[in-house]
Amino acid sequence: MPDDRPHQKVLKYETVASGIRTLIAASLSPNDALPSERDLMATYGVSRMTVRAAIAKLSDEGRIYAIHGSGTFVGAETSFTRTRKLTSFTEDMTDRGLVASSKTLAVARVEASAEVSETLRIPLGTECTHLRRLRLADGNPLAIENVYLPEGVISIDALKLNESLYEQLSALGHQVCRAEEVIRAINLGPADSKLLGVPNGTAALQVERVGSSKRGHLVEFAQTIYRADRYNFRFVVAREPSES
Amino acid sequence: MPDDRPHQKVLKYETVASGIRTLIAASLSPNDALPSERDLMATYGVSRMTVRAAIAKLSDEGRIYAIHGSGTFVGAETSFTRTRKLTSFTEDMTDRGLVASSKTLAVARVEASAEVSETLRIPLGTECTHLRRLRLADGNPLAIENVYLPEGVISIDALKLNESLYEQLSALGHQVCRAEEVIRAINLGPADSKLLGVPNGTAALQVERVGSSKRGHLVEFAQTIYRADRYNFRFVVAREPSES
DNA sequence: AAGTGGTCTAGACCACCGC
DNA sequence: CGGTGGTCTAGACCACTTC
């Protein structure tokens, strides 16, 4: 594919969403009312459904909220709404205004342990690529990451340690587009606490992620341990409108 | 409004969503394809938009996922997908198949501390209702909950300890319909660890929640500490389809 | 009663995937 | 190429809130 970014189709609802974002930034405060959907139809010359698609998107992002019969309003200002977008460590840090780096602690070809084989649903003992890295934000240790990838996904020889793992997976047709995450609290052991620079036994957040490709193939099992004093999860939840 | 549950309008897209859920439970496995949207239109005798509303709902719940140009598929089986639905402790436990109960540790009228006043955006020293409870699942200690409510929301005298806090708030017109949550890991202190029945210093998950009503009024500041060995967060994240 | 968002129809064309 | 989901139109009626 020699062409770069030729077309980049402009979606109408994106145009509307962008316009609303600008409007909010320029002249609205939290809990101020947005123009009505019918006003927006006229303003942008689009159908109601297109306006609603834009509103749905912004609502998903937590920027606005709608009240049936009353209007649509600017959401309460929240420092940074941690949405449930799937991000790489680097993207996550960039979003938080930090510079990500990493130090490779180990990279090896290993046989799938019981945990790894069950999680990735591959036979016990299948060859896997194991990558262990210390992750830093602005140069300070933030997390320890253990990633397991089945041999069929990426071989240890093909792995380039200086490039984004997610981009390499994408290039190989194994883009992670969906993941299941579990968040736990653990007490750090001696080795991990030393790496992160905190006392033995300090509480930390452990995030286990099982990533799958569009096809539903499980391509990644990542276990990341974050320093609790420097990392937390923040997100917005909403009640189902219908019941109770 | 003396009437109870008179009509309960049946939404068509709910009917479709329910049918799809049944279909999945009855005869589909993870990553199996669902009928196409046009098939579903014919099956349920509805328009395409209604089918898509049903699919959007199930997709939000993490039960299915769509691939442009290919089809819609059953999501990977996950013991229990912790969605970002806003739930009370009781609802949460019921979802997990456990019986919730609680023991009130303290209930008092207090003046807003710096943290509470900043979080709920009320003047320092404003009278608040403070409720501290030990939460149990199947009779075992699971969490310690501290809730702060501004005096204007619910008075300490009106508070009924045996009834659901969320239902009481609803009845007063302060239904919590949106919340911002922060999840952290902490080391338990002597008092909390004793309450939860674990050794001093054990890691625990701390969830801070700021709940707001439809109007955007902040009505609740809840800080809940969960036993890490019995509670974790599990959810599905998806990559934005558009970029990167 | 007037205005709002919520649901719904019956079409249409586009972009993407697999054969 | 045919089938899929993604976007979009131009209407309609309903449920809810506000006056």
Side-chain angles (χ1 to χ4, degrees):
Chain A
M1 285 155 221
D3 70 341
D4 245 321
R5 290 271 158 279
H7 37 9
Q8 191 63 317
K9 182 75 194 310
V10 177
L11 282 342
K12 289 198 179 180
Y13 78 85
E14 283 288 2
T15 306
V16 177
S18 168
I20 294 173
R21 266 190 283 258
T22 304
L23 179 66
I24 292 173
S27 57
L28 293 176
S29 306
N31 302 316
D32 281 359
L34 262 56
S36 76
E37 297 184 352
R38 287 157 183 90
D39 284 350
L40 291 167
M41 287 170 65
T43 302
Y44 293 94
V46 297
S47 78
R48 177 118 179 261
M49 212 205 95
T50 303
V51 169
R52 286 180 63 77
I55 286 175
K57 177 148 203 253
L58 295 172
S59 181
D60 274 353
E61 293 172 5
R63 306 175 71 105
I64 62 177
Y65 62 98
I67 299 180
H68 191 173
S70 181
T72 306
F73 305 86
V74 179
E77 97 187 276
T78 60
S79 52
F80 272 106
T81 299
R82 241 7 264 138
T83 50
R84 51 281 182 182
K85 231 173 45 179
L86 175 56
T87 55
S88 69
F89 181 83
T90 305
E91 289 169 336
D92 191 10
M93 289 306 104
T94 304
D95 284 354
R96 292 169 194 242
L98 303 170
V99 176
S101 58
S102 72
K103 184 182 162 197
T104 301
L105 302 172
V107 49
R109 184 178 288 136
V110 300
E111 296 187 348
S113 65
E115 184 184 20
V116 171
S117 69
E118 280 168 24
T119 304
L120 293 177
R121 290 178 209 153
I122 54 180
L124 193 67
T126 303
E127 290 209 333
C128 292
T129 303
H130 173 214
L131 182 58
R132 180 175 166 84
R133 291 185 285 188
L134 181 65
R135 295 294 215 161
L136 307 100
D138 282 354
N140 300 312
L142 180 64
I144 302 167
E145 182 186 75
N146 279 287
V147 188
Y148 295 87
L149 306 146
E151 60 166 357
V153 170
I154 189 167
S155 114
I156 191 171
D157 307 312
L159 199 60
K160 296 174 197 123
L161 293 177
N162 296 325
E163 294 181 18
S164 159
L165 178 58
Y166 268 36
E167 281 175 17
Q168 292 179 63
L169 290 174
S170 269
L172 292 168
H174 296 296
Q175 184 184 31
V176 177
C177 71
R178 196 168 158 282
E180 185 180 341
E181 294 190 343
V182 178
I183 303 176
R184 296 196 184 84
I186 59 167
N187 289 95
L188 287 172
D192 290 345
S193 59
K194 192 171 177 191
L195 280 170
L196 291 175
V198 295
N200 191 8
T202 303
L205 277 175
Q206 184 194 61
V207 181
E208 278 187 4
R209 164 150 84 185
V210 182
S212 49
S213 69
K214 293 202 295 187
R215 300 282 169 286
H217 295 145
L218 304 179
V219 299
E220 172 208 37
F221 174 40
Q223 195 181 63
T224 308
I225 296 168
Y226 292 91
R227 264 183 72 151
D229 58 341
R230 294 194 180 151
Y231 193 89
N232 55 52
F233 284 83
R234 180 188 302 266
F235 49 85
V236 172
V237 292
R239 178 162 284 276
E240 293 285 297
S242 50
E243 31 104 37
S244 174
Chain B
M1 285 152 217
D3 68 344
D4 245 321
R5 292 267 159 279
H7 36 10
Q8 191 64 319
K9 182 76 194 310
V10 177
L11 281 342
K12 288 197 180 179
Y13 78 85
E14 282 288 2
T15 307
V16 177
S18 166
I20 294 173
R21 266 190 284 257
T22 304
L23 179 66
I24 292 172
S27 57
L28 292 177
S29 306
N31 303 315
D32 282 358
L34 261 56
S36 77
E37 297 183 350
R38 287 157 182 89
D39 283 351
L40 292 167
M41 286 170 66
T43 303
Y44 293 94
V46 297
S47 79
R48 178 123 178 258
M49 212 205 94
T50 304
V51 168
R52 286 180 63 75
I55 286 175
K57 177 148 202 250
L58 295 172
S59 182
D60 274 352
E61 293 172 4
R63 306 176 71 108
I64 62 178
Y65 61 99
I67 299 179
H68 191 172
S70 182
T72 306
F73 305 86
V74 179
E77 93 186 281
T78 61
S79 51
F80 275 104
T81 299
R82 235 16 259 137
T83 51
R84 47 281 182 187
K85 231 174 46 181
L86 175 56
T87 55
S88 68
F89 181 83
T90 305
E91 289 168 337
D92 191 10
M93 289 305 105
T94 303
D95 284 354
R96 292 169 193 242
L98 302 170
V99 176
S101 58
S102 73
K103 183 181 162 195
T104 301
L105 303 172
V107 48
R109 183 178 289 137
V110 299
E111 295 187 350
S113 64
E115 184 185 20
V116 171
S117 69
E118 280 168 25
T119 305
L120 294 178
R121 291 177 208 154
I122 53 180
L124 192 67
T126 304
E127 290 211 333
C128 292
T129 304
H130 173 214
L131 182 56
R132 180 175 166 83
R133 290 186 286 187
L134 181 65
R135 294 295 215 161
L136 307 102
D138 283 353
N140 300 312
L142 179 65
I144 302 166
E145 183 186 73
N146 279 288
V147 189
Y148 296 87
L149 306 146
E151 61 167 356
V153 170
I154 189 167
S155 113
I156 192 170
D157 306 311
L159 198 61
K160 296 175 198 123
L161 294 177
N162 296 324
E163 293 181 19
S164 159
L165 177 59
Y166 269 37
E167 282 175 17
Q168 292 179 63
L169 290 174
S170 268
L172 292 169
H174 297 296
Q175 184 183 31
V176 177
C177 71
R178 192 167 161 284
E180 186 179 343
E181 294 190 344
V182 178
I183 303 177
R184 295 196 186 84
I186 59 166
N187 289 95
L188 289 172
D192 290 345
S193 59
K194 191 171 177 190
L195 280 170
L196 291 175
V198 295
N200 191 8
T202 303
L205 279 174
Q206 184 193 61
V207 181
E208 278 186 4
R209 164 150 84 186
V210 182
S212 49
S213 69
K214 293 203 292 186
R215 300 280 171 283
H217 295 146
L218 303 179
V219 299
E220 171 208 38
F221 174 40
Q223 194 183 62
T224 308
I225 296 168
Y226 291 92
R227 265 184 71 152
D229 58 342
R230 294 193 180 153
Y231 193 88
N232 54 53
F233 284 83
R234 179 188 302 266
F235 49 87
V236 172
V237 291
R239 179 162 283 275
E240 293 283 297
S242 49
E243 32 106 36
S244 171

